[in-house]
Structure formats: C-alpha cells, structure tokens
Amino acid sequence: MMLSLSDQEEFDDELMTGRFDEKIDEFVALITSRPQTAMDDPSQSNTKDYNASVDDKESSSKLSNIDDLLCELDTNIQVGRPTTSKRTRGQHLFTQEDEYRENQKGGGFFNQTKFCSALRNEMKHIFNVDVTIEKSNDGSHQEYPIYIVTFQSTNAENVSKAKNALKLLFDSVKIEIVGEEAGFWIQDQDYARIVQFYGDQNKSLLILCEYSTIGLFIHYFDAHISVDFHRLCTTRETLRTILKNKFKSSDVNLPASSDVTKENKSFFAQDILQLEVEVRTRPILMKLEQRCIHLFGINQIVDEVVQQIECIKERYASNMVQLNLDSFQINYLIDFYSDEFQLMERTFVNAKILEHLKNGEFMAPQHIQSTIERQIKELATFCPPSSFTVEEEAFRPIAHNECPNLIKIGRRYKCHVEIEEFLTKHICEIPRSTAEDHVSNKLTAAAIKIEQGDLADQKVDLVVICSTSLYLRDDIIRKAGQSVKEEYEQIAQLSPSEPFETNSGDLQCRKLLFLPWHIDQSNKHKFTQSIRNFVRRSVQHALRAHHTSIAFPSIGCGKLNIGKDIIANEMLVEAQNQLLTANTLLQIIFVILPQQMDVVKAFEEKLASLQEGNIETKDAEISYHLSTLTLTIHSSNENNQRECIEALHTHVTNSTRTYEVYQQTALKKWTQPALNKFFRFCQKSHVVIDVDMKIGYLRLYGSKEAVREAESEYLRQQVKQSEEARLAVIARDIIWAYKIGENQWEKYSSDINALIEDQYTSKLQSFDYTDDKSKEYLIDFQTMTEKCLSTNRERPIVRQTDFTFPKDWHVQIHNVQQFSLPTNSDEFKSILRLFNKTMTKKYTEIVRIDRIQNKQWYMQYNSYRNFSPKKHTERKLFHGCSQQTTSLIINSFFNRSFAGINGIVYGQGAYFSAKANYSHNYATMTGSTGERYMFVADVLVGDTITGNSKMKTPPTGYDSTTDGDHIFVTYRDDQAYASYMIVYK
C-alpha cells in the first residue's frame, strides 16, 4: 500500500518531532510477544515466551494493523525515489570507500543488521548510491574491528555526497547516560540488554546500549544535527519518554515465613526459582531476596510476571485448620511431642503447628493439610487415666512450687501429669520468749511517747529530720541557726543520700539526724516497708551513737495524704521492734503538729494497744499456703504410666525432710528478736515450724534442702543465744574500764565488756576489737593497756571484780526484781524518816516502799562510784514521776528522756531534789487508784555548778549542775541508782 502525498507529509512531521512513539505504542505492546530477532542468539530462542497472546483475536488484529503500518512505512520510504534502470553497458561506475572503527563514536552500530539495512535503504533513497559494508579480516584489528563502507554510483557527485552525509551522521552521535535515577537496577549488566531489546523491536528506533560501571550508555543519532538521515535519528526527549513510559520496576512482597534462597527445598521456593530461570531469556530482570522479589522490564512483561508470582503465592498460602481434639489430648501433645512437631515443621515448610496447637489448631498450606492432620491425630492416643493424691505432710509447703518438676517427671515417661491443687492457709504463732533479763513488749511500748508540738522544741538527744521533706528540713535548719546550715550544706554535698548527724545549734536537743525517706508507692507492702526502713535506720543510728532519746516527725501525714492509721501502725510497731531487738529502753517520741488531731488520735490509739501488750498480727505470727495435690496421669502406654507413678512417689519422698528434736532447754534462752528472726527465716524458706517452748520441742518440715538450711540456722542460733547468755553470765559481775584522765575511768559498753572478759578468762595474751566508730583497738592483758591502732595512743585498763551487793538485798532469780519492805523493818523506817522530813502532813497513806534490785544497773553505778575520786559526794535524793514512767526507770536508768521531761531550767538532764515535797509536785497521781510514785536514789553529784537551760552537758571539770540549793541535774546513766520506790496517796 502506497502513502498519499498528505500521508507522506504527516509521516515526515511525526518522524521529525518525535511523535512517532504515539503511533507505535500498540506495536511496542505487542512486539514483545513476537519471536526473537536476529540480534538474539537463535540457540536460546523461546517462541512461547514472546507469543503469549497469539490465540487472542483482538491481539492478532492489532498485530496485523501494526504490520500494515510498518509495511506502509517501508513503502513510504520508497516514495519519491527515482526509478532507475539497470546500468547499461558502457556507463562508468564511481566507487569510494571509508573506514569506521568499532571503538570510535557510534562505531558499534555497524554490528547491527537493522542499522546496516536501514543505512543502505536511505543511501539508495536519498543519493541513489549503493552501499556495501564489510568487516575487515585484518588480524591486527581483532580487538576493535574496522568496518569498510563502499559507495558506488554512476554519479561521482552523489558518491561524494553520500560519503560526507555518513560522516556527518556519525558526527551527530550523542550518548544518553542513565545513572542512579534508575535505582539499583543500573548495576545489573542485563539492564542494557532489556533497553536494547526494546530498541531492536522498533523499526524506526536506532539505539546502541552499552553497560558501564557508572551507568547505561545509550548511543543515538541526534535528529537536531544530522541533515540527511532523519529516519535514522531520534532525540534525547524521545529517549527519555521511552525510558519513563515503556519500562517499569515492581516489588512483590513474600509471606514472612518465605525463604526463596536456593537452599530452601519447599515447593513454594522451588516454584519461584523455576520461574526465575524461565524469565532469564525474556526482556525482564528478576532479583530474589528472602522476603521480596524485585522486577524490572517492559511494562507488559513485568505485569505478566507479577501475576505469575501472585498465583504461586496463592497456591501455597497457609490457613488455619481446626483439630477435633479435647484439652487432655492437646496438653499431652504439647508436653511430649514438641520435638516431633518441630521436625514436621521443618519437613512441611510454612506449616505452623506448635504455635497454634494450644488453641487446638494448626496452620499449613492447603496441599499438605490432610497429611499433617492425620499425623497429629495418630500421636494423640490415650489409655485410661490414673489418679492419686499426694498425702505427705512435709510435701505440702513446697507442693505449689514443685508442680513444674512433677510435670517434667511425667514428660520423662511420655506421660501428661494433670494437677489439681487445693490450697489451705496455715498459721504459726510466734511464741513469746521465756529468756530472763529481756525487756517486755509492754515495757518497750512504755518507752514510746506521743507529743503534740514543734519538732524543733524537743529536749532529746537526737531529733530526726526527713531530709526529703524540704519544708520540714528547711524549717529545722532555719531555727537551728547559721552554723547548722553551713554544716548541713557541707556534709550534704559529700553524701546527700546517706544519713548524717550535725550539731543542734540553737535548738534544745543535742544532735540532729538528717535521713532521706526513700518512698516506694508501687504497692502497699513496699510503701509500708519504706516507712519501717526509715524508723529502723534512725533507731539503729541512735543506739550506735549511744543516744538515750530520739524524736521523730510523723512522716507521710502531709501532702502524700496517706492513711493516718497506716502511718501510725508502721512507725510505732517498728519502733517497738527495734527496742525489742536491741533489748534496751531508748526513749522514742513521735511529735505531731497540734492541728493534726486525726493523726494524734491514730497514734495514741495504736500506742495504747501496744502498751496493753497487744502485738501486730503480722509481727506475732507467720502464715503459709499449704497445697494438697491430686495428680492424674495420662499416657498412651500403660507401662509408661505405671513407671511414671512410681517415679512421682519417689520424687515426693526424696524431696522432703522432717527435722524433729525434744528437750531443747536452750530454747528458753532465746530472746524474742531471735525467735522472730528464726520464724521469718523459716517462712521465707517455706519450712513449716512447730515449737513448744515449755517442753523444748521443735519440728521443721518442708523441702530437703530448705529444712537442712533451717536446721543449720537453728543450730547457729542455739550456739549464738547460748554464747550470749554465757557472756552475760561471765561479765555480769565484772567491769572493765579504761582511763580517760587523772582519777577518771570510763567503762566499756556491755557488749565489749563481755567480749573482753571472755578473752581474758580464756587466758589469751591480747584481744583486738572495733568500736562503734570503726576504730580498731588492741588490748594487751599482760601490760593491761589498750592501744588505738590508728593513732598508736595507749591508755591503761582495769578489771574490777570486787563487787558486793547491799547487805539488805534479797536473793533474786532475775536481773531486775522489786521487794516490798516490811513496815516494821529498820530499812522501811529509815526511808520513811527521810521522806517525812519535807512531806509530813502532805500525804494520807504510805501504800508500800519497794526496794529496787537491778543488778546490772547497780553494778554500773557502783563501778562509776568506785572509779570516782569523789565518793564523798554521794547523796540520797528524790525523784517524782508518773506511774507509767516507773517501770522504765526501774528496768533502765534515770536517763533524761524518762526522768528529765519536767523541765530544763538548770540543764538538760535527769532532775533530783533533796526535798521530797519538791519532787512531790512531779509525782503524778494515778487516776484509778490515786497513788503517787517517788524514787529515793543514790546520786553521785560530784563537783556541781549552777546550771542553765542551754546546758546539754556540764562544763568541763564538773559532774552535775544545780540550782545552788536542793536541785541536782545529772547527765550520765550510771551517775544515779534508784534504790527505793515509795508508793503513797
């Protein structure tokens, strides 16, 4: 078919402007399904790959139309060519040659059959010149061949024009570089093959693609430069349009469990790998990653391959399969066949069995579901179950924690152990100590007081400040004065999170203790424990520093808005526990602001309960959760089931232990803190304890290891308690002291005193110890000296043994006892005469006069008196107090916390008077009986000086302060001894 003149003009216009792409879009879409061209290796031809739509009528019709169009284009090329007859004989034939190297710009085009054919046609059409192209056979040009172009025509001028036009055509060669904008595909050498394939399939598009490490080089003849050969040329814009619109990349995500590496033998992976092999000869690139497939190529081919991948994915997609199994079967399978299921999962790729079996289902591709289901059900077979109850009492404390071990034993025999647990709560009361010479609950509670007022006004040895309460801390520091502020800031910089003492400055207490409260409100137990820790650390610090009184704020009752009952309970109970543990009567005062009446009420009610002897339930007992187990054994084999039951019984027997002893008389020596500690130890170890203090019976049962540890702890405590009792006996009548000045001696603390005496009686030559200030000392018993190892300072020591108790004392069993004097005895009459000197007609009845026999206190006082060169200053003085305070004084000392609370006019110590009528003012009447209480004390006043309210200790060289008449103030616990107590109305 020939083109008309108008068609010719339209074609030329399209060719020149690059709009011919619009005409060949359909051709591009269909040409990819044609057989390979001559540019491809015939041996690798695969007609099937490029003719997928050959049966489609519409595609065939379009292909026919495109073929007509191409034929029409070829015919059009012939239009206007002069019709020439064959060269007649005698006509001269003009010939010229030109050479083009393949490595020169555009030289590679000569290696394209398509280009050579188009060039010959254009030469004939434009110049009527015949062109032949031959590749040089010269061996010297093997690396870069030479192409010899021969021009022949009967017209010499045309030959020259044709030769020049060809040179101009190759001068117009341009290179379009496709770089990083093509993505990672540009790194693949086949990228050039795909683009070149598209160019080869389009008759009107001549390009030469070359791969380079920096990108794709596309050589083309620039239509803007070449004058004659427009049909062989194109434009940069056209190339870019083709690259943008005719090619695409696509990513196909694979299931998370997919692995398309060659090592994967799954059907899914193998199908994907086979597809990758099949598309290698097609105009498409396919890159495989573990979870994704990347594609690049001609649009239609990419879409086709994407569809093929989706079909494969759908074919092997997994879905859930419900198993018709009951819970026993499922648990059995999970317990014993996990290895088998893991093997099945490795065999059947993409199958998920263990992950879903607990829900009675599994996941797998459809083509393997029936096989997996059949194998699972074959494993889920059972013989009749067998049940029994674990009766061993010793196993009950640990039964709950042993459940995993019982299940493991069953698994060992391919048996499923089903456990039914029955929990019961078992309460063990902590017995009361029967040890002698230990402070009681009531007595320790009596040492605790509740006061309303300002913490800064307390006249105690130590005031505790919660350093994390900024308002309280800053208020106390402000009232204490500048010196305390500077001292606090200096120490706080070094150890802000640790407790530390400072001087009290302008306050009436002796020292200030700054202690942070580390609050933990994550749960109730941790919060209450943080309160107890605050009290515990404070009291223990006071005891180490030998303070006799301490004042607390009621922490947590402000902005935290914590329940007042909780704060009162935790602070008071812990304070009492610390006194019981330390076996001392440190005065503890809780100071509450006057406006906090609800807090005052909560504290007073709790303290009243403690003073009545009531104990916090959680401090008087421990509880256990005991379990009784019923085991049901499931198995597919009766022999396995029988062997499993025997193994379970053996495990129960071998994992428990019972320790039982009688006639443990040493238990009677255990102090209450020791009992509390041991019971808590057993509770934490899940060891149940049964004790009868009267007959000395002890039984422990639980796990074998835990009972052994509890037994060891019991024996350690036995030794410790016996040793402490032994040391107490050894040192009871012995006093050790060291010299601190001329005729001045200081007694060792009771603990150190006992240790020194024990080492001395053991015939050792020396003994080293560390005091409460972490200083190390070495005592030489041969020279009777003590040396401080850090300073090398030596001082004499002395052992005092010649103690005799007053001749009037009765034989006593306990350390502290009271004996009422017979009214007709000289002793009674002597004390009454002293009392009546100032009390005649000021009382109505002498109820009784008790002699106080406190061995330890008397020895301390007697030792102080014997070491003092001022024995002649001993006087009998009076001290009036409330009934509540009497037990504290009798069991402890006249420390200022108990005995100096009525005033501080002449110093901050314990007050005594030579006049009974003066002390009568402080002998508070008991409401129910109308009785009053006054002590007659032996006091070694020593050198005394007039005191004032700011004196916390007497001036150097003095032993006491006075009003200059009948009042005396002491500052040492062993400076006075309460010999008698007068009870009167």
Side-chain angles (χ1 to χ4, degrees), residues 614-867:
N614 298 325
I615 304 174
E616 182 72 10
T617 302
K618 64 182 180 180
D619 297 312
E621 65 184 30
I622 58 175
S623 63
Y624 300 87
H625 291 290
L626 305 182
S627 298
T628 300
L629 304 182
T630 297
L631 309 181
T632 301
I633 316 303
H634 301 271
S635 178
S636 59
N637 184 285
E638 291 184 357
N639 290 332
N640 288 349
Q641 189 179 59
R642 184 170 53 256
E643 291 175 1
C644 178
I645 293 173
E646 293 176 359
L648 290 170
H649 281 297
T650 301
H651 175 77
V652 170
T653 302
N654 293 340
S655 62
T656 58
R657 174 180 170 83
T658 299
Y659 174 75
E660 194 170 24
V661 289
Y662 299 87
Q663 298 179 350
Q664 298 292 297
T665 56
L667 275 172
K668 296 180 180 180
K669 299 178 181 179
W670 283 40
T671 62
Q672 193 62 51
L675 283 170
N676 293 347
K677 182 180 180 181
F678 182 64
F679 269 70
R680 299 295 177 197
F681 178 89
C682 291
Q683 181 189 38
K684 185 177 181 180
S685 303
H686 301 288
V687 173
V688 179
I689 179 172
D690 184 11
V691 175
D692 189 328
M693 301 290 289
K694 293 181 180 179
I695 63 174
Y697 171 76
L698 172 71
R699 184 166 71 112
L700 306 171
Y701 61 88
S703 74
K704 181 180 291 185
E705 293 302 322
V707 171
R708 283 176 177 169
E709 290 180 5
E711 179 184 349
S712 298
E713 178 64 20
Y714 167 71
L715 296 176
R716 282 194 296 269
Q717 284 295 332
Q718 281 282 61
V719 172
K720 180 180 178 181
Q721 295 300 312
S722 298
E723 178 67 8
E724 288 179 356
R726 184 184 71 83
L727 291 176
V729 171
I730 289 176
R732 179 172 293 173
D733 300 328
I734 305 296
I735 295 292
W736 286 84
Y738 55 87
K739 193 172 185 179
I740 59 174
E742 188 66 28
N743 295 324
Q744 288 184 305
W745 296 81
E746 183 70 30
K747 298 187 297 296
Y748 287 97
S749 66
S750 58
D751 293 341
I752 300 298
N753 186 80
L755 291 173
I756 295 175
E757 177 62 19
D758 182 49
Q759 300 298 311
Y760 179 79
T761 55
S762 298
K763 307 299 183 181
L764 297 180
Q765 295 183 354
S766 62
F767 167 63
D768 59 276
Y769 72 94
T770 303
D771 68 3
D772 55 7
K773 296 181 180 179
S774 299
K775 286 188 176 181
E776 296 182 357
Y777 293 89
L778 178 65
I779 290 178
D780 189 331
F781 292 121
Q782 293 181 326
T783 62
M784 293 298 284
T785 58
E786 177 189 77
K787 180 180 180 179
C788 178
L789 297 182
S790 61
T791 63
N792 289 324
R793 186 188 66 179
E794 289 190 0
R795 54 192 178 189
I797 61 173
V798 65
R799 179 176 182 262
Q800 190 173 20
T801 61
D802 54 342
F803 288 110
T804 57
F805 293 105
K807 62 181 180 178
D808 294 329
W809 277 30
H810 287 55
V811 176
Q812 63 189 90
I813 299 175
H814 303 295
N815 178 58
V816 180
Q817 286 189 247
Q818 294 173 239
F819 296 92
S820 294
L821 302 179
T823 56
N824 60 352
S825 66
D826 292 339
E827 189 177 4
F828 180 93
K829 294 175 183 178
S830 173
I831 298 302
L832 183 60
R833 280 195 302 271
L834 185 65
F835 182 71
N836 283 336
K837 283 184 179 181
T838 57
M839 284 295 292
T840 302
K841 296 182 181 181
K842 293 188 178 180
Y843 65 93
T844 59
E845 178 187 356
I846 297 294
V847 178
R848 69 180 186 275
I849 298 177
D850 290 346
R851 183 193 312 119
I852 311 300
Q853 296 186 191
N854 186 324
K855 287 184 178 181
Q856 185 177 3
W857 185 3
Y858 183 81
M859 286 176 58
Q860 297 289 332
Y861 171 73
N862 195 31
S863 175
Y864 176 76
R865 180 176 57 189
N866 290 342
F867 285 127

Side-chain angles (χ1 to χ4, degrees), residues 238 392 434 483 537 584 586 661 689 727 734 794 841 850 946:
T238 300
E392 286 81 348
T434 59
S483 64
R537 296 177 71 188
T584 188
L586 170 72
V661 289
I689 179 172
L727 291 176
I734 305 296
E794 289 190 0
K841 296 182 181 181
D850 290 346
T946 303

Side-chain angles (χ1 to χ4, degrees), residues 51 70 220 227 305 357 374 430 508 659 706 811 824 826 873:
N51 200 22
L70 294 175
Y220 66 96
V227 177
V305 174
L357 188 58
R374 183 181 68 256
I430 301 176
Q508 299 183 58
Y659 174 75
V811 176
N824 60 352
D826 292 339
T873 64

Side-chain angles (χ1 to χ4, degrees), residues 53 119 121 146 163 192 223 332 429 456 483 508 542 610 622 726 764 858 947:
S53 303
L119 179 62
N121 290 336
I146 295 176
K163 182 178 179 181
Y332 179 76
E429 291 187 2
S483 64
Q508 299 183 58
L610 295 178
I622 58 175
R726 184 184 71 83
L764 297 180
Y858 183 81

Side-chain angles (χ1 to χ4, degrees), residues 48 348 605 765 884 938 956:
K48 178 181 176 181
F348 301 108
E605 289 178 352
Q765 295 183 354
Q884 181 185 19
D938 293 320
T956 303

Side-chain angles (χ1 to χ4, degrees), residues 924-960:
T924 308
M925 183 173 60
T926 304
S928 58
T929 62
E931 294 177 347
R932 297 176 186 265
Y933 299 84
M934 187 180 299
F935 287 99
V936 178
D938 293 320
V939 182
L940 201 67
V941 296
D943 293 332
T944 187
I945 187 174
T946 303
N948 59 64
S949 61
K950 292 185 177 180
M951 287 185 176
K952 298 172 184 177
T953 57
T956 303
Y958 293 91
D959 304 292
S960 62

